Amino acid sequence: MTDVFTPEGLPDRIRHYIDGESVDSLDGDTFEVLNPVTNETYVHAAAGKRADIDRAVAAARRAFTEGPWPRMLPRERSRVLHRIADLVESRDQRLAELESFDSGLPITQALGQARRAAENFRFFADLIVAQADDAFKVPGRQMNYVNRKPIGVAGLITPWNTPFMLESWKLGPALATGNTVVLKPAEFTPLSASLWAGIFEEAGLPAGVFNLVNGLGEEAGDALVKHPDVPLISFTGESRTGQIIFGNAAPYLKGLSMELGGKSPAVVFADADLDVAIDACIFGVFSLNGERCTAGSRILVQREVYDEFVERYAAQAKRVKVGHPHDPATEVGALVHPEHYEKVMSYVELGKREGRLVAGGGRPEGFATGNYVAPTVFADVAPDARIFQEEIFGPVVAITPFDTEEEALALANDTKYGLAAYIWTNDLRRAHNFAQSVEAGMVWLNSNNVRDLRTPFGGVKASGLGHEGGYRSIDFYTDQQSVHITLGAPHNPTFGKR
């Protein structure tokens, strides 16, 4: 094993950012942040509690009620967001380096995520200026129009997979629409989030508009969800945590947007282009270390081509390059944390009883330490198997045969999740009808996960509540006020007149 790579200029500690200042926790508490390649502590981060969340929410509330941000013209806010995008683009190499080091994500994929983060800000900077609202007129009688207004303090809770990009996904529309925010990043990966403060300051975002509190989900995250002055919660994470947030937010009737887990099917029919489908299905589950909510982690293959698909897929999976996250040749790096590594490996061992192991199945050769898992493929997996039903969130895939289109649809829908689906067929009628019937919030036909930022992102069943993306994000982060104007004689029914 080569020497462990450590970026230059790492912080000596990671602090909160509240009301324009970097601060420690009020009680001085910290938690350890691990290097996923060595599982050794490389930095301590401030551990936020209820008091720290109270402090951050108070700052965000002041900035909303007293500051200029919610009252600025959309064009003025747009200029700030474009400057943020410019700064993120100019620092993409540094962002990728820190993200890769902190999360174990391969450096080339981390670079792509950094650039996507810039594009998220640029997209909403443009959208908020171009956005128009409804107006309805009955000539000579009445006119109705819609006012959009920012809601207040948005609580943003983000996961440890591709953290910087997913933070931008929420920060962009929340800020564009004039809200102020409190961000609670994932405790496994707080490093890249700590860069937002400097970027926002340099871009000219007023103090108090952006606040960041690090900490554990059950402490800082729980306090943010339960805070009475936070009317909005946007959460990305696992389904069980989403259920807890739903319950804790209910007494306050908060607005909720939750993108949760997935166990997405990739359905390969016999008439598909197998070369393209195999490439896409390899990338769809092994990119981002398999730690992606939209991973096509259940591959359903029509029996006529099943044996050929399994043989070719397993051979290609064995060629996927596992390596150190900082190596540009690496395709699968280290999983984020030893706790998650143990979870994924427990499913690998389970899969050896539930399916036929055709690739991987343990540590890759040459990686005796760190959170490394060889790309693992199980064939002949029954639909009642746990590796078919449960989200693993790692480089592990289950392949299952089917005979008919009806059977494929039943298998595709046979989980509690419903985030994404991938369909490979050259039958146009089948493609559209299958897409209509599959229980998924997003469907890709003969395509990998390529997303237009104007389209809604979200799932059904246990995969989420609500949608963000494009105008759906604008809807979530704003109140829509309907205004009625009488243009003619008032239409007043008369009560009590003699």
Side-chain angles (χ1 to χ4, degrees):
M1 186 171 179
T2 59
D3 292 337
V4 175
F5 170 77
T6 302
E8 295 181 359
L10 289 177
D12 57 356
R13 56 180 170 160
I14 294 175
R15 307 172 80 191
H16 310 309
Y17 183 77
I18 299 174
D19 207 12
E21 296 182 353
S22 294
V23 296
D24 294 318
S25 293
L26 289 170
D27 65 1
D29 197 12
T30 64
F31 62 91
E32 296 179 340
V33 185
L34 305 184
N35 176 343
V37 170
T38 65
N39 288 329
E40 295 175 352
T41 300
Y42 78 87
V43 74
H44 286 78
K49 310 283 183 15
R50 182 172 300 278
D52 304 293
I53 289 290
D54 288 346
R55 185 179 177 188
V57 172
R61 184 66 187 164
R62 280 194 305 273
F64 185 77
T65 57
E66 303 171 14
W69 187 250
R71 283 157 283 281
M72 290 169 64
L73 293 175
R75 174 66 71 186
E76 294 175 314
R77 290 200 297 269
S78 175
R79 291 191 183 103
V80 176
L81 264 67
H82 273 297
R83 287 197 291 270
I84 292 168
D86 291 340
L87 289 166
V88 171
E89 283 182 346
S90 70
R91 300 174 187 180
D92 58 358
Q93 298 289 338
R94 176 63 170 170
L95 286 165
E97 182 180 63
L98 296 184
E99 186 95 306
S100 176
F101 173 76
D102 197 29
S103 70
L105 192 66
I107 184 67
T108 54
Q109 296 170 42
L111 183 60
Q113 297 299 314
R115 292 169 178 168
R116 172 67 177 276
E119 180 58 26
N120 285 335
F121 272 92
R122 205 171 298 290
F123 174 83
F124 285 106
D126 291 337
L127 186 62
I128 199 63
V129 175
Q131 178 252 327
D133 287 303
D134 294 326
F136 307 98
K137 183 177 181 181
V138 179
R141 297 187 62 182
Q142 67 189 51
M143 180 175 179
N144 297 274
Y145 66 89
V146 175
N147 276 333
R148 281 191 188 267
K149 300 189 288 186
I151 296 174
V153 180
L156 311 179
I157 304 176
T158 51
W160 46 256
N161 58 309
T162 62
F164 192 81
M165 190 282 289
L166 288 177
E167 288 152 9
S168 74
W169 204 333
K170 300 178 188 297
L171 287 165
L175 295 174
T177 47
N179 297 282
T180 58
V181 304
V182 176
L183 170 66
K184 207 298 281 184
E187 55 264 33
F188 286 176
T189 54
L191 183 59
S192 61
S194 68
L195 300 179
W196 283 119
I199 291 170
F200 288 151
E201 285 183 9
E202 193 170 337
L205 193 71
V209 173
F210 167 75
N211 304 273
L212 183 153
V213 178
N214 293 293
L216 306 183
E218 57 269 29
E219 294 175 343
D222 185 67
L224 186 58
V225 168
K226 293 177 179 176
H227 201 291
D229 288 336
V230 180
L232 289 174
I233 296 291
S234 178
F235 169 74
T236 299
E238 64 177 0
S239 298
R240 176 58 189 148
T241 305
Q243 291 176 317
I244 295 169
I245 289 174
F246 192 102
N248 288 338
Y252 306 96
L253 299 177
K254 293 176 186 275
L256 289 176
S257 175
M258 297 197 290
E259 190 258 292
L260 306 176
K263 191 70 175 178
S264 300
V267 185
V268 182
F269 287 92
D271 67 339
D273 183 328
L274 282 192
D275 290 338
V276 178
I278 289 170
D279 270 350
C281 290
I282 288 281
F283 181 83
V285 74
F286 298 133
S287 60
L288 306 180
N289 295 348
E291 298 165 326
R292 56 185 304 168
C293 53
T294 55
S297 54
R298 292 183 299 139
I299 304 178
L300 312 177
V301 184
Q302 200 157 23
R303 200 172 300 274
E304 293 95 306
V305 294
Y306 180 77
D307 290 340
E308 178 187 356
F309 183 95
V310 169
E311 181 180 356
R312 293 175 58 187
Y313 189 93
Q316 189 162 333
K318 293 174 183 176
R319 296 194 297 269
V320 171
K321 180 171 175 52
V322 179
H324 295 292
H326 69 276
D327 184 349
T330 293
E331 294 170 326
V332 171
L335 300 189
V336 67
H337 193 274
E339 287 181 15
H340 185 59
Y341 170 82
E342 292 299 333
K343 173 195 169 185
V344 172
M345 287 303 297
S346 73
Y347 277 105
V348 170
E349 293 307 310
L350 179 65
K352 292 174 183 178
R353 301 192 298 273
E354 292 188 331
R356 174 167 59 95
L357 179 66
V358 294
R363 279 190 173 277
E365 186 177 349
F367 293 87
T369 60
N371 305 320
Y372 290 98
V373 177
T376 297
V377 183
F378 293 104
D380 309 341
V381 178
D384 60 350
R386 287 181 59 193
I387 62 169
F388 185 96
Q389 292 288 338
E390 299 175 17
E391 184 177 42
I392 300 173
F393 220 65
V396 182
V397 66
I399 309 180
T400 301
F402 68 87
D403 290 297
T404 66
E405 187 174 327
E406 292 75 20
E407 184 185 4
L409 182 63
L411 288 170
N413 291 339
D414 186 24
T415 71
K416 67 179 182 179
Y417 297 105
L419 188 58
Y422 307 87
I423 302 165
W424 295 90
T425 179
N426 283 314
D427 184 327
L428 186 63
R429 173 201 58 80
R430 170 195 285 153
H432 287 295
N433 288 335
F434 201 99
Q436 174 73 26
S437 299
V438 72
E439 294 168 352
M442 298 167 288
V443 181
W444 280 268
L445 302 177
N446 296 320
S447 171
N448 203 346
N449 186 326
V450 178
R451 184 169 163 263
D452 188 314
L453 294 179
R454 294 170 294 183
T455 59
F457 188 101
V460 298
K461 301 195 293 189
S463 287
L465 174 72
H467 290 79
E468 294 189 46
Y471 281 114
R472 277 74 174 185
S473 292
I474 303 298
D475 286 341
F476 177 69
Y477 290 105
T478 57
D479 280 326
Q480 298 177 57
Q481 179 189 61
S482 185
V483 179
H484 174 97
I485 306 166
T486 296
L487 300 177
H491 179 67
N492 294 331
T494 302
F495 277 25
K497 185 174 182 180
R498 298 181 62 183

